[in-house]
Amino acid sequence: MANTKQKPTIILDNGTIAPCQEPVVVSASRSTDIPAFYCDWFFHRLKVGYSAWTNPFNGVKMYVSYAKTRFIVFWSKNPRPLLEHLDELKERGINCYIQYSLNDYEDEKLEKGVRPLAERIETFKLLVEQLGLGSVIWRFDPLMLTDDIDIDKLLKKIENIGDQLKGYTEKLVFSFADISIYKKVKANLVKDGIPYHEWTTEQMEEFASRLVELNKTKGWNYKLATCGEKSRFPEIEPNHCVDDVLMIRRAYNDLKLMAFLKTSIKPMPKQDLFGETEPLPDDAIILDNGTYATRGDNKDSGQRKFCGCMKSKDIGQYNTCIHMCEYCYANTSKQIAAMNYKCHKDNPFGETITGK
């Protein structure tokens, strides 16, 4: 029998009709820093109802409708511009959390375009005050080794930030810079004279064990997690950056989102006459209203092998981030990124990030 289900369409700015995707969960974005540089663009496109995205593999322009969007995961090194737009999300019934890459490479000038560290820490706290504890995840990502940065220095940098974020975050996510697998990253580091070192297995194990100990001795009690790492370390879990568990905890009252996540919510079991309580399922998610949830398999099979993220639609574009980080994997070159940002400024509310 033929499939008679009609594919979704969207009316474009020019009045024509085009096929589109209708994601329930949006990632904004692994490919660029939308909150820092394209926040006004994104919220304008959210109001319009769609944006355009160019497939980086085949160059085909595709359209993304926000008609069914219920949750957004923001990724940023400067999400401060979001503060002006959070009420818009609430009005639309869209929930969110933020993956906040809060590193300290100021002395080494590896992130020349990011805001001063003190300002970024202040932004973290302001966002938590608006969104609540657990809504802003601290990432020290990636962990870079150079002639000037060793494990001791990295841990001192983490300690400084970790002390200031105590009470404002529940988790620290990190990954080890893997330069060799990104040819353009390696080429750019060599071109700019950055004396990087690849991590050895022994160094990763030493760092992980010392971070666990630091977390205990400082009394942070952060949940420690790695992003996209093959190696496993004691007392450190593999992260799920686009995380259905966190979405359920933050938005369990959103029935449409719960249906998409294949979530079942049940009352917590009570003791019987003999004081016995039925055991919870191993994957039970304890909620704050006397219930617990379970969910189906939402894993995104299209991501890297060791990525734990669930399915989402990323609406960003490579070669558009102008933080100009020396280790950036999302830009082919700083020059191309700067050129694309200029195109955006010439047409700041166009269908695409670049305005093209």
Side-chain angles (χ1 to χ4, degrees), residues 181-230:
I181 65 172
Y182 296 106
K183 292 182 179 179
K184 62 184 177 183
V185 175
K186 181 178 180 179
N188 288 333
L189 287 172
V190 171
K191 177 183 175 183
D192 293 336
I194 307 298
Y196 73 90
H197 299 170
E198 293 281 4
W199 285 84
T200 66
T201 300
E202 293 75 16
Q203 286 173 319
M204 288 189 282
E205 291 173 349
E206 177 190 348
F207 176 87
S209 65
R210 290 177 63 183
L211 180 61
V212 168
E213 184 62 27
L214 182 66
N215 190 36
K216 293 177 181 177
T217 57
K218 299 295 293 189
W220 297 336
N221 298 317
Y222 296 147
K223 183 177 289 186
L224 303 178
T226 56
C227 176
E229 293 290 342
K230 176 181 179 180

Side-chain angles (χ1 to χ4, degrees), residues 83-94:
L83 288 167
E84 299 179 11
H85 295 280
L86 294 177
D87 286 343
E88 295 176 49
L89 291 182
K90 292 179 183 178
E91 291 169 6
R92 294 179 181 278
I94 297 174

Side-chain angles (χ1 to χ4, degrees), residues 102-104 106 115-122 160-161:
L102 181 53
N103 306 331
D104 176 11
E106 287 189 322
R115 305 298 299 170
L117 179 60
E119 180 182 319
R120 287 181 280 141
I121 291 173
E122 179 189 47
N160 175 45
I161 299 174

